[in-house]
Amino acid sequence: MLLADGRHVPDLHLDASEVVRCRALADQVTAPVLGFVEGHTTVAIERTVLRLFGLHGAGPRGVPQVNLAVDELHRRGLLGRGAAWWLGYVMRQGARDPVAIVEAIASLPEHPAPLPAADDRALREALAREARAAVAELKGRVAGRNALKAELGTGPRPHKYLIVATGNIWDDVEQARAAAQAGADVIAVIRSTAQSLLDYVPHGATTEGFGGTYATQENFRIMREALDDESRRLKRYLHLTNYSSGLCMPEIAFAAAWERLDMLLNDAMYGILFRDINMKRTLCDQHFSRRICALADILVNTGEDNYITTADADEAAHTVIASQFVNESFAHRAGLPDRLLGLGHSFEIDPARPDTIARELAQALLVRHLFPDAPLKYMPPTKHKQGDIFFSHGYDLMADVVGWVSGQGIQLLGMMTEAMHNPSLADRYQALKGADYVYRAWRSMGSELQLKPGGMVESRAAATLHRARQLLEEVAADGLFAAIGKARFGDVARRETGGKGLDGVVARAPDYFNPLLDEMEAA
Amino acid sequence: MLLADGRHVPDLHLDASEVVRCRALADQVTAPVLGFVEGHTTVAIERTVLRLFGLHGAGPRGVPQVNLAVDELHRRGLLGRGAAWWLGYVMRQGARDPVAIVEAIASLPEHPAPLPAADDRALREALAREARAAVAELKGRVAGRNALKAELGTGPRPHKYLIVATGNIWDDVEQARAAAQAGADVIAVIRSTAQSLLDYVPHGATTEGFGGTYATQENFRIMREALDDESRRLKRYLHLTNYSSGLCMPEIAFAAAWERLDMLLNDAMYGILFRDINMKRTLCDQHFSRRICALADILVNTGEDNYITTADADEAAHTVIASQFVNESFAHRAGLPDRLLGLGHSFEIDPARPDTIARELAQALLVRHLFPDAPLKYMPPTKHKQGDIFFSHGYDLMADVVGWVSGQGIQLLGMMTEAMHNPSLADRYQALKGADYVYRAWRSMGSELQLKPGGMVESRAAATLHRARQLLEEVAADGLFAAIGKARFGDVARRETGGKGLDGVVARAPDYFNPLLDEMEAA
Amino acid sequence: MTARPPAAGTLVRPYGDRQDDGVLQLSFVLPVPAGERAREAAAEVARKLGLTQVLVASMEAAAERYTFFVVYGRTEVAVDLSTLQVAEVVTRKKGFDELNEFALREVGRRLVVLGACTGSDAHAVGIDAIMNMKGFAGDYGLERYPCFEAVNLGAQVENAALAREVVERGADAVLVSQVVTQRDVHRDNARRLVDELTRLGRRSQVILLLGGPRIDHKLALELGYDAGFGPGTRPSDVANYLVGEVLRRMGKELHG
Amino acid sequence: MTARPPAAGTLVRPYGDRQDDGVLQLSFVLPVPAGERAREAAAEVARKLGLTQVLVASMEAAAERYTFFVVYGRTEVAVDLSTLQVAEVVTRKKGFDELNEFALREVGRRLVVLGACTGSDAHAVGIDAIMNMKGFAGDYGLERYPCFEAVNLGAQVENAALAREVVERGADAVLVSQVVTQRDVHRDNARRLVDELTRLGRRSQVILLLGGPRIDHKLALELGYDAGFGPGTRPSDVANYLVGEVLRRMGKELHG
Ligand code: B12
Ligand code: B12
Ligand SMILES: Cc1ncc(COP(=O)(O)O)c(C=O)c1O
Ligand SMILES: Cc1ncc(COP(=O)(O)O)c(C=O)c1O
């Protein structure tokens, strides 16, 4: 198989009809969800819209203005019309600056007086115009980023993706620069533990996170600025990514878009399964956030790798594939092209078992063949990592081999101290040096090696695809909500009415107004 | 390709006529050398014969009795008749115990009186009988070893070969046991630096070596005893090996045979190239020592891996192959069957270069295909090892991968501290753990992977074979001595009359007598 | 496991390739550019740690202003094994059936066992491995034991909520998992449950177990728990400990 | 390479993921069976080295009576960069042609340079890399330089024989390689050549260079050599040093 970037990977002979069927099933799975999504909005979506109109600040005790405003609307049951509409409403009443707007919204009566139809039309037109201008500005920023990328060029594939997670944005910057100097192509700033459960986006530059650094717009800006500078110095464009999953998915996507991030962790189901966020909430938020990604040319990374840190990687291999089809379908529905689809998977089969390379290769090649135009994000081993860093390092290198030979687009480099602590500078350096050696040493092996027809790798891939199809049949029949209820993904069961954030889901009123969504749907 | 031990390795398509031609050329190269060997003996060979007859002790200042005796004979120009003959001679004069024999030899006049023909015949017959009895005893010991091996069984292929080299035999024992407990199949006790240049074998248990422990018969005995014990405890036969190359090749082989070693480093040319030992001397000694190995069922390991620690592994790949054909031919002429032929090669291409895996795999598979019934000894990287032990460990694991996929019989495990010091216990442990992981993870890949026909691996293998043939043509035309003079192997040039030990080479007289050789040639 | 304590004065030192050679391998980064001065600084760090025969085996520019080192050296440090405080959870075990039978007979009822990964920690795999039917490494989880009524509350469970559950369900034992340890978040969090239970006057009635990849028995005791379980723990270890401890508190013995 | 010496009082400490956190990684073996006591002994070794926040990341039975550990910890140790004695061979270099021209012009003749790996050391690859035509890493060897008459005597060269060659050939410089260092065999061996040359009254007339993977400039000076060259040395480093040093001794300068 010849990849778009010129690399070859060993051919896998798959049953094409099964692939077609999986895609059809995935579309069947996502269709009713989209129906639901199109009838609802969430507090996070509405906050995002207000951010587009410039409500960036934070009020007393750091509460973001958008939260103050949206919570007031929600309390009054007004959100179904869209926060933008109410923004227009209070602005017509004279509120101009953010503080005044928030105050005006907070002072709205339980049943605000309706607007005459002409005023309503004028309000919508004015805000649509403003939204169009803001979106144009956003697109200008993205174009600037793309120009820099074109000017400097990027490193060869796979892009080496390295994590920084000090908790302090300034230390993160220092480490990101160091990683870039050692060869990193993508810097991922990990978020503080459980930020995904905060129903607001913290404000400003932050220095105190646990196991990661808070995702804030200011932190994004600081890091992107440093990477722009470092990119110019190293004459190689450095990508930046962060996490959007969680209760603030669309807001974070918007901040990331504005600050010119290149990628985002953005999975349709991660929040549900791994953060116990209500499924309706997440499914609405993911759609809106992905529309933002499509608008801002942000590559989304999905989180199927997580399934096999909870479930057994060997037994659950097909759930990864099934979920990827679902994620792909959701992404297409949000307007994302394949080239922005960094579907996630990983090298996680217990290394105590025999023949793990055959099975990992089967999985990695299967994903590669199923999604030929997607860049793919390949994760290193994590769950079975050991405190024995020497073993752990060698184990990572095997993942590098499989990632390379199977032509992955983005490769997270494993950290030899994975079982202990967040990566240190030394760990990243060794990971880069090792991966570079592997890519160099195995350079032509992707085109050199062929698989025995009907051998262990091919049959394993075929069996996994087959089981993925069976699972998709079941999910299509039961519906996604029910399937998640039966722990069909990642061995985790969630109820439709359980989890966090359900109370932030609101049915759109017939006169729902969302000029940002209108802009994006028009694009 | 299906190996005798049940493993599969990827097929290489080679030009069979080229292989046939290489073997014919190698035989052409070794034939005249054998002619020379059959006309000569050496001080080392004669010392070996005396050892067979029980001259094991050492005189004042630790000089072995066999050296005292042989030196006396040599000084008098008597060696051409064979030391055994003179042993018989002085025994007829009444010398019985070793001390008396040595003294009697030392008291021989310049021109000892000749023996009447009948006495000469009786002398020869008596010694032949004694030799037969000693050889029978030796074979009994070897049979005992083989019975233990059959009883306990050995570990699966490849046998993991680990080095101990403390300089102190008691520390070596401790480390050998530890290595065995961690999974080693073969323990190699490395010799003290430059022991190969000593023209005698040190005596007794030793505790003071540099970079290794002296090879002495007592040290062999101590280690084999410890390994027998450990084998029984672990219920897995543990092999022992040491080095015979050098000025005492036949004597060490004899001691090893007696003490039931399983393998020996025994190369036809190593001493010449890497120790500057005279070529005539080494070529005579290797033949005799290999006959001993054939007699005692000792697997010989050749040293082609050394070539590419001196010469560039990429450019000199064909010299390894050519030398293996020569070593094979010499081995066959000494009566060694293929199953005792541990031809050496290694993973030594500079890891700073691209596509090293393709080239290493080409080489390893080429050797595997050329010598299908030989166990093959595969060496890990050494020359390009770094003080960065993390890199170094990963680099070793790649050698483990290639060794495994190409079906090697004996695999030396690389040490992550190779660039620093002799292996420590921790290094061996990590090497074993890493190799076990690799063998497990890649278990079926030898049968699973196929090579692109005419691809990089196949064409590299074909080109190397072709260049090996060209080199053999040249060596066959020039003669081995002249070829070595032109630095055709390992980038090292040696002159026919240079190097150490030439004065220990003696033309056999027409009445040359060597009952050990007679026994071995009759076998 | 070391059954008998070692004889007094049994000194051990790191072993490279000879008894007591004291060989140690170090690696670290210094925030300086690579070069001879950096190399010397690395050697000096090792010397200041008391190492001799210091060999800077590797110096690599990990970034423009950071250098990675591998260093070998020898230490004089020795440890007297007999003086070490080793708190070890007893590991003599009964088989599955035997344990269940024994426990049901001797206790006379099923023991109520709650499990949770607490605070903001979302790592459920460890507690699941101990609690869930399926278990871990071929060893059944506590849910499968007839002698336990085992309830896994999952991850991100608030300490206050967990303490309430203990009271409501009359739990005999609580299994707390803590995986995230950055900035000692696990310590504060683990202590909080003890405080809550103490506040409710329940601490002494319940067996408290702490577990996780960076937990050991010693740390658990220090944080006010009854026992600690580290990486590689099997459900059967925990089951045996629980039954044994309940019997002990009843004045009986597991291994009579 | 550090061009300017650092300001006084510039303290550096190991860097894990924050400035001055002092993070170090250790590994070692203890001659005890794996178990809780062994783990505690490993932690104690680290604590005795002055480490705090000690984490025994891995304990593995490397054999029945040996246990391998990976340990992380933090040290308080800091090094003042400005106080370090760094002996660095100057590395400003001229190109091949320029150097040859300059040397031939200023010295007025070819310099006689002998190379050898001495004593029982048979490792010729390093000295070959410096001396032979082919050179090393794309850098020509000294034999290729018109300004040198370079003779490589190979390996296992006796010190006495080498000293005689120096006299006979009127050598300007001798390059000694030492690779085997077990039990400090290289130190004794390197000193022996200095003794021989001193005995022959030749020491001061000849530039003595020592090189090898575990050699540095400092060690070479200590052993009585004029300069030392470590791993990764290129022939052109040596060529530049030699010409510079000869000129210096003539009262001239290489970089005027
Ligand atoms: C899987 C995993 C995840 C999954 C968790 C899925 C899930 N449902 O559990 C996901 C992807 C969601 C995840 C997320 C994060 N993770 Co995480 N994760 C891991 C990983 C890879 C494996 C953990 C695991 O499952 N081990 C397997 C189980 C079986 O082992 P175990 O937990 O040790 O349990 C055994 C014993 O310890 C014991 N045990 C455990 N608990 C208990 C309790 C009792 C009572 C008893 C008796 C025994 C016991 O028994 C078990 C069986 O033997 C580790 C790295 C590693 N290899 O260890 C990182 C790791 C734990 N994660 C880490 C981090 C930082 C995070 C994040 C905070 C990152 C971020 N900022 O986004 C997030 C947030 C998580 C949160 N809020 O808690 C760090 C923690 C660093 C530290 N020391 O503080 C680690 C070490 C990775 C790293 N090097 O950075 N993670
Ligand atoms: C190749 C090799 C061999 C070959 C040597 C072939 C030959 N003709 O040279 C063979 C196989 C014969 C061999 C044998 C042995 N070897 Co050896 N060998 C190596 C190996 C793998 C590589 C050395 C090498 O060639 N490096 C490449 C060259 C280019 O690098 P270099 O030497 O560092 O040279 C550079 C610089 O240092 C500098 N330089 C070097 N010399 C000089 C001199 C001057 C004046 C200057 C300016 C610069 C300079 O410039 C060079 C270019 O940059 C090393 C392990 C390793 N990876 O380092 C072990 C190693 C050196 N060997 C070792 C040992 C113990 C042995 C034996 C003693 C083992 C035994 N008991 O049988 C034997 C005996 C050798 C003897 N009598 O000396 C040990 C030494 C341990 C120690 N610290 O003491 C090592 C480290 C392996 C190990 N870990 O055990 N060996
Ligand atoms: C898709 C996705 N989103 C988010 C996260 C992490 O998010 P959180 O901040 O919730 O830990 C991950 C973790 O790996 C992920 O895969
Ligand atoms: C065939 C052979 N013989 C002998 C040796 C070592 O011998 P010496 O004792 O001469 O160093 C080697 C070294 O690797 C070898 O390959």
Side-chain angles (χ1 to χ4, degrees), chain A residues 338-487:
Chain A
D338 284 347
R339 70 175 173 81
L340 294 182
L341 254 180
L343 295 169
H345 59 139
S346 57
F347 184 100
E348 284 281 18
I349 300 176
D350 187 348
R353 296 183 195 164
D355 268 324
T356 50
I357 293 293
R359 280 173 286 169
E360 295 289 7
L361 194 59
Q363 185 79 358
L365 284 173
L366 174 60
V367 177
R368 182 68 286 171
H369 279 73
L370 295 176
F371 307 100
D373 300 317
L376 304 183
K377 173 197 80 161
Y378 194 51
M379 296 270 292
T382 62
K383 182 174 177 179
H384 299 285
K385 274 298 182 65
Q386 304 185 354
D388 176 354
I389 53 176
F390 298 97
F391 175 79
S392 182
H393 185 56
Y395 181 25
D396 281 334
L397 295 185
M398 293 302 148
D400 291 338
V401 169
V402 170
W404 173 261
V405 170
S406 64
Q408 304 300 317
I410 302 163
Q411 186 147 5
L412 272 83
L413 300 191
M415 296 292 121
M416 59 183 169
T417 57
E418 169 67 28
M420 272 106 74
H421 52 235
N422 289 319
S424 65
L425 198 143
D427 302 335
R428 275 189 294 268
Y429 170 69
Q430 282 297 335
L432 282 161
K433 184 177 176 187
D436 284 339
Y437 164 55
V438 165
Y439 299 165
R440 189 165 68 239
W442 289 77
R443 188 172 65 170
S444 305
M445 296 307 280
S447 84
E448 191 59 32
L449 295 176
Q450 308 185 336
L451 299 166
K452 182 158 84 184
M456 185 179 275
V457 175
E458 276 202 2
S459 14
R460 163 85 182 181
T464 302
L465 176 59
H466 185 72
R467 290 181 65 202
R469 181 178 64 73
Q470 288 177 318
L471 175 56
L472 285 168
E473 300 277 6
E474 185 188 333
V475 177
D478 292 356
L480 185 60
F481 294 171
I484 293 175
K486 292 197 216 158

Side-chain angles (χ1 to χ4, degrees), chain B residues 385-403:
Chain B
K385 275 298 180 66
Q386 303 185 355
D388 176 355
I389 53 176
F390 299 97
F391 174 79
S392 184
H393 185 57
Y395 181 25
D396 281 335
L397 295 185
M398 294 302 149
D400 290 339
V401 169
V402 171

Side-chain angles (χ1 to χ4, degrees), chain B residues 298-417:
Chain B
I298 289 179
L299 192 151
V300 301
N301 290 330
T302 66
E304 281 83 0
D305 42 274
N306 294 291
Y307 295 180
I308 50 183
T309 62
T310 318
D312 184 277
D314 235 341
E315 294 160 15
H318 64 294
T319 67
V320 168
I321 305 296
S323 172
Q324 288 173 328
F325 279 116
V326 172
N327 252 319
E328 177 193 47
S329 173
F330 274 129
H332 286 165
R333 290 186 191 279
L336 283 163
D338 285 346
R339 71 177 172 81
L340 294 181
L341 255 180
L343 294 168
H345 59 140
S346 57
F347 184 101
E348 283 281 19
I349 300 176
D350 188 347
R353 298 185 193 160
D355 267 326
T356 49
I357 293 295
R359 281 174 286 167
E360 296 288 9
L361 194 59
Q363 185 80 359
L365 284 173
L366 175 59
V367 177
R368 181 69 287 171
H369 279 74
L370 295 176
F371 307 99
D373 300 317
L376 302 181
K377 174 197 79 165
Y378 194 51
M379 296 270 294
T382 62
K383 183 174 176 177
H384 298 287
K385 275 298 180 66
Q386 303 185 355
D388 176 355
I389 53 176
F390 299 97
F391 174 79
S392 184
H393 185 57
Y395 181 25
D396 281 335
L397 295 185
M398 294 302 149
D400 290 339
V401 169
V402 171
W404 173 259
V405 171
S406 64
Q408 304 300 317
I410 303 165
Q411 184 144 8
L412 272 83
L413 299 192
M415 294 292 120
M416 60 182 169
T417 57

Side-chain angles (χ1 to χ4, degrees), chain A residues 165 190-197 210-213 243 270 273-275 305-306 308-310 348 381-386 415 417-423 490 492 494, chain C residues 115-117 120-131 136 155-156 174-183 185 209-215 227-235 238:
Chain A
I190 305 302
R191 277 192 311 198
S192 181
T193 308
Q195 184 183 343
S196 41
L197 301 184
F210 287 97
T213 307
Y243 293 68
Y270 172 88
L273 302 172
F274 298 98
R275 287 292 170 267
D305 43 274
N306 294 292
I308 49 182
T309 62
T310 316
E348 284 281 18
T382 62
K383 182 174 177 179
H384 299 285
K385 274 298 182 65
Q386 304 185 354
M415 296 292 121
T417 57
E418 169 67 28
M420 272 106 74
H421 52 235
N422 289 319
V492 180
R494 300 293 185 202
Chain C
C117 180
S120 65
D121 199 330
H123 290 88
V125 179
I127 191 70
D128 287 355
I130 303 296
M131 300 293 292
F136 178 66
Q156 298 185 330
V174 186
L175 274 57
V176 174
S177 182
Q178 286 289 274
V179 176
V180 177
T181 59
Q182 231 200 8
R183 301 211 207 157
V185 61
L209 267 53
L210 188 64
R214 280 159 295 274
I215 304 295
F229 292 84
T233 304
R234 285 160 183 262
V238 181

Side-chain angles (χ1 to χ4, degrees), chain D residues 96-97 100 110 130-135 139-150 235:
Chain D
F96 185 83
D97 292 335
N100 278 302
R110 297 175 78 194
I130 303 296
M131 300 292 293
N132 295 4
M133 286 286 174
K134 195 165 98 177
D139 203 66
Y140 294 145
L142 302 192
E143 287 179 359
R144 172 104 43 153
Y145 284 72
C147 71
F148 297 129
E149 188 186 320

Side-chain angles (χ1 to χ4, degrees), chain D:
Chain D
M1 304 272 155
T2 26
R4 243 175 302 170
T10 316
L11 287 180
V12 295
R13 295 176 56 202
Y15 177 107
D17 70 349
R18 293 199 179 188
Q19 192 70 35
D20 292 336
D21 58 18
V23 171
L24 284 178
Q25 173 268 325
L26 300 183
S27 77
F28 53 87
V29 163
L30 290 181
V32 291
E36 285 314 305
R37 191 171 299 273
R39 187 193 303 277
E40 187 52 29
E44 187 63 18
V45 165
R47 286 189 293 259
K48 287 197 168 187
L49 290 166
L51 304 190
T52 56
Q53 293 187 45
V54 169
L55 172 72
V56 178
S58 181
M59 170 172 75
E60 309 246 322
E64 288 166 14
R65 299 191 298 114
Y66 293 91
T67 306
F68 174 76
F69 296 95
V70 175
V71 176
Y72 278 78
R74 291 166 190 250
T75 178
E76 287 297 321
V77 155
V79 171
D80 183 343
L81 287 184
S82 66
T83 63
L84 298 176
Q85 293 292 342
V86 182
E88 215 161 347
V89 179
V90 188
T91 49
R92 217 175 115 207
K93 297 202 296 194
K94 285 200 193 301
F96 185 83
D97 292 335
E98 200 193 345
L99 183 75
N100 278 302
E101 236 167 76
F102 190 82
L104 287 169
R105 189 175 67 230
E106 296 292 321
V107 183
R109 61 172 178 88
R110 297 175 78 194
L111 297 171
V112 177
V113 179
L114 301 185
C117 180
T118 60
S120 65
D121 200 330
H123 290 89
V125 179
I127 190 70
D128 288 354
I130 303 296
M131 300 292 293
N132 295 4
M133 286 286 174
K134 195 165 98 177
F136 178 68
D139 203 66
Y140 294 145
L142 302 192
E143 287 179 359
R144 172 104 43 153
Y145 284 72
C147 71
F148 297 129
E149 188 186 320
V151 184
N152 185 358
L153 302 171
Q156 298 185 329
V157 177
E158 286 301 330
N159 284 298
L162 178 55
R164 281 196 304 274
E165 289 277 349
V166 168
V167 176
E168 275 165 31
R169 300 190 188 243
D172 294 289
V174 186
L175 274 57
V176 174
S177 181
Q178 287 288 274
V179 177
V180 177
T181 60
Q182 231 200 6
R183 301 213 208 160
D184 281 345
V185 61
H186 61 307
R187 288 178 173 257
D188 301 344
N189 194 42
R191 277 206 199 89
R192 214 159 292 149
L193 179 66
V194 177
D195 294 346
E196 292 285 349
L197 289 171
T198 310
R199 210 171 47 77
L200 298 175
R202 267 290 176 139
R203 174 64 192 90
S204 58
Q205 282 113 295
V206 62
I207 303 174
L208 269 187
L209 267 53
L210 188 64
R214 277 157 298 272
I215 305 294
D216 58 28
H217 189 49
K218 209 167 169 186
L219 175 65
L221 296 181
E222 185 189 324
L223 297 175
Y225 284 65
D226 295 305
F229 292 84
T233 305
R234 285 160 183 263
S236 56
D237 300 333
V238 181
N240 273 270
Y241 170 81
L242 283 177
V243 173
E245 180 61 17
V246 168
L247 292 177
R248 203 186 58 75
R249 293 185 180 195
M250 292 168 70
K252 300 185 178 183
E253 258 192 69
L254 179 58
H255 298 282

